[in-house]
Amino acid sequence: MIDSVHISDSTIYGPAWSTPPMRALFAEQNKIKGWLEIMSVLAAVQAEFGLIPVEAARQIEACHAHIEIDEAFLCEASEGFAKTNHSLLGIINALKSRVGSQGGEWLCYGVTVQDITDTQTMRTLVRVRDHFIEQVCAIERILSALAVRHRDTPMCGRTHGQPGLPITFGFKVACWLDEVDRHRRRLVELGPRLCVGQLAGGVGSLSSLGPKALALQQEVLQRLGLESPAISWTSSRDRLAEWLNSLALISATGDRIGQEIVQLQRPEIGELSEGFVPGAVGSITMPQKRNPEISEHLGTLSRVVRHHAAHMAENLVHSHERDGRSWKGEWAIIPDATLAAGKALALLETLLTDLQVHDRRMLANIDASRGLIYSEKVMLALAKKIGKQSAHQKLYEIALRVDRQGLHLRQALHKDQSITGLLPTAEIDALFDLGSCTGHCAEMVERVIASIDLSGQSS
């Protein structure tokens, strides 16, 4: 049994930090298999360009087709790394004994570690991006249905944690949806910048790949499903910084939605709650607890991604044509951040699918404000008579009286002769019509829904 150190590798806790599809993409065996595939394609093209023997290329291709990256291979490669302290030479030597007499001599001819590893990283992230676009689209469909269903469901709009004015729950959801759709568009737009390989040699000059190096580069990367860069990017890591920052934005939205549910699930508010799974336990000491576990974990995952994005921003600063301080850090943070973001998207989809909306409690909380939630509307009506600033001061004084005396705002207005002398009783009562107090929330919900187009989701 292999000891696990990183939480995502834990037999017990790993599923809370990654998803099976993402783990498979970043698993060590699959990563090394991907490196060997790149070496195989490289050798085939180099043979066609007359740089290496055809038989060597054939042996490398055969090795890629049949090799098993098993424990024996990994142990041998590990020993080679410990002996040489070189990132790839231990693996090359382990392959050399398995490739064949000629093939082993021509592995990675004229290329460097970053040519292999950067190209595999980009191939992996292109697949991840496609998967994430599908996940984001699924979340958008859930949010769209939720926004339509609750287009006119009134609730307290809150600022600074306090009730402010009435809104609709559909409006809140449409705000989430609008934000998530921008993330989808960013992922789509990122495609051309992400789908670029690396094949440039030791310092990026392609000096080792012959007079037709640029044509060779294009052919190799095309066969691997990637575009050729205009120039080496061994020291230009902005593509990867953009990827991690995109993940930081996406996961932060998940955190924002989760935090909103954490707050609104509090029993004293009780407007939303996570779907309950029988058997789930909130506390081993307080049996009654039903904690918003998914919502909280979205915050944990988002913090991981955001901190890795900050680390990646540090890696943008390189010395000369290659800098191990910056580049090697990517090996730790890119998989970790991508796994966490993938899990966050999966959890967000589950959270929104099973979300429980307590619309009666939303109405009860509006009523619990004792009419103060309508104070802006009263102030604006009064402003037409005495001016906005004077109306604000008057409503401020009445609101203090409502708090002190435990009154309803409408009751306080009816008792105040300075108000009734300006606003007839019927007009005061009309100001407390909830249906007319949510502004243009419903119209904006419809605008957001109309703007969402998932037909070309991954174009």
Side-chain angles (χ1 to χ4, degrees):
M1 182 176 179
I2 299 176
D3 293 333
S4 63
V5 175
H6 195 285
I7 190 71
S8 65
D9 293 326
S10 168
T11 303
I12 300 172
Y13 306 110
W17 296 82
S18 62
T19 63
M22 291 298 102
R23 285 190 60 79
L25 287 173
F26 288 98
E28 184 171 44
Q29 291 89 336
N30 292 336
K31 177 175 65 178
I32 294 173
K33 191 79 171 179
W35 288 352
L36 182 52
E37 182 181 1
I38 294 167
M39 296 178 198
S40 174
V41 171
L42 173 65
V45 176
Q46 286 177 329
E48 293 171 12
F49 276 69
L51 292 183
I52 70 171
V54 173
E55 178 59 19
R58 189 196 65 77
Q59 290 180 7
I60 294 171
E61 290 182 85
C63 178
H64 167 250
H66 300 104
I67 194 171
E68 183 179 353
I69 310 298
D70 54 15
E71 187 174 351
F73 179 93
L74 293 173
C75 287
E76 185 178 342
S78 176
E79 291 170 1
F81 172 67
K83 182 179 179 179
T84 64
N85 200 33
H86 187 274
S87 305
L88 199 58
L89 191 55
I91 291 174
I92 290 175
N93 287 335
L95 288 171
K96 185 177 177 181
S97 64
R98 293 164 172 81
V99 171
S101 57
Q102 283 204 57
E105 292 294 333
W106 295 93
L107 282 165
C108 294
Y109 176 77
V111 299
T112 190
V113 177
Q114 268 189 271
D115 291 327
I116 304 300
T117 58
D118 280 353
T119 297
Q120 177 60 18
T121 294
M122 302 314 267
R123 294 177 76 208
T124 301
L125 295 185
V126 165
R127 294 175 66 184
V128 172
R129 167 187 165 272
D130 291 343
H131 182 68
F132 281 5
I133 289 174
E134 291 177 4
Q135 286 185 289
V136 170
C137 286
I139 291 167
E140 287 193 71
R141 285 189 284 270
I142 296 166
L143 287 172
S144 295
L146 199 59
V148 170
R149 189 180 317 132
H150 293 283
R151 169 185 179 273
D152 300 307
T153 302
M155 68 179 297
C156 286
R158 296 174 172 88
T159 62
H160 306 283
Q162 306 299 310
L165 301 168
I167 59 171
T168 70
F169 181 57
F171 169 79
K172 183 185 291 288
V173 173
C175 288
W176 299 342
L177 173 59
D178 194 42
E179 189 170 323
V180 169
D181 190 60
R182 287 193 292 277
H183 297 324
R184 178 185 65 83
R185 294 174 190 272
R186 290 186 184 102
L187 286 173
V188 171
E189 293 162 1
L190 178 56
R193 294 186 291 278
L194 202 64
C195 190
V196 178
Q198 181 83 275
L199 185 61
V203 294
S205 64
L206 286 96
S207 59
S208 58
L209 296 179
K212 298 181 179 179
L214 291 173
L216 184 149
Q217 177 197 66
Q218 183 175 6
E219 183 63 25
V220 170
L221 295 180
Q222 183 176 333
R223 293 188 190 186
L224 293 169
L226 298 173
E227 297 295 326
S228 298
I231 196 168
S232 166
W233 52 277
T234 51
S235 58
S236 299
R237 314 308 284 179
D238 58 289
R239 290 181 174 89
L240 296 171
E242 185 178 9
W243 170 252
L244 262 70
N245 276 281
S246 296
L247 299 189
L249 289 170
I250 292 168
S251 59
T253 296
D255 187 8
R256 182 168 90 87
I257 294 171
Q259 179 65 14
E260 188 75 2
I261 294 168
V262 167
Q263 295 296 329
L264 296 181
Q265 184 168 324
R266 290 162 49 198
E268 58 268 32
I269 297 178
E271 295 177 354
L272 298 175
S273 58
E274 292 186 3
F276 179 67
V277 178
V281 175
S283 170
I284 60 172
T285 186
M286 297 170 283
Q288 84 283 4
K289 294 293 292 299
R290 283 181 58 178
N291 296 334
E293 297 285 355
I294 296 177
S295 299
E296 286 187 335
H297 197 49
L298 284 170
T300 302
L301 293 167
S302 179
R303 291 180 183 189
V304 170
V305 178
R306 290 199 296 267
H307 281 275
H308 283 325
H311 182 169
M312 189 63 225
E314 295 288 340
N315 292 349
L316 288 170
V317 182
H318 262 59
S319 294
H320 307 302
E321 279 59 59
R322 192 185 316 282
D323 186 348
R325 295 172 310 157
S326 303
W327 163 56
K328 290 179 182 177
E330 296 168 7
W331 290 25
I333 64 176
I334 291 174
D336 202 34
T338 306
L339 289 174
K343 184 62 182 182
L345 284 171
L347 286 177
L348 183 58
E349 182 176 353
T350 298
L351 176 66
L352 294 171
T353 298
D354 299 331
L355 186 65
Q356 297 177 358
V357 181
H358 309 298
D359 51 354
R360 292 184 180 179
R361 190 61 179 269
M362 291 175 174
L363 279 173
N365 287 337
I366 289 174
D367 292 340
S369 75
R370 299 198 310 278
L372 289 173
I373 202 168
Y374 300 98
S375 62
E376 182 193 61
K377 192 170 186 182
V378 177
M379 179 193 72
L380 294 176
L382 189 61
K384 296 176 181 178
K385 308 291 185 179
I386 61 174
K388 189 268 180 183
Q389 309 308 332
S390 297
H392 181 279
Q393 180 61 33
K394 186 66 179 175
L395 263 294
Y396 177 80
E397 294 167 356
I398 294 173
L400 291 177
R401 192 186 318 149
V402 166
D403 273 338
R404 285 196 306 268
Q405 300 177 8
L407 301 172
H408 191 281
L409 177 59
R410 175 158 41 186
Q411 183 183 10
L413 293 173
H414 284 320
K415 286 185 174 183
D416 193 314
Q417 292 183 356
S418 66
I419 299 295
T420 56
L422 296 168
L423 298 175
T425 298
E427 186 174 343
I428 292 174
D429 290 342
L431 296 173
F432 290 83
D433 173 43
L434 179 58
S436 64
C437 286
T438 56
H440 298 277
C441 285
E443 294 172 59
M444 286 187 280
V445 169
E446 292 173 356
R447 274 204 311 197
V448 170
I449 297 297
S451 72
I452 305 299
D453 179 12
L454 303 181
S455 60
Q457 60 185 47
S458 60
S459 60

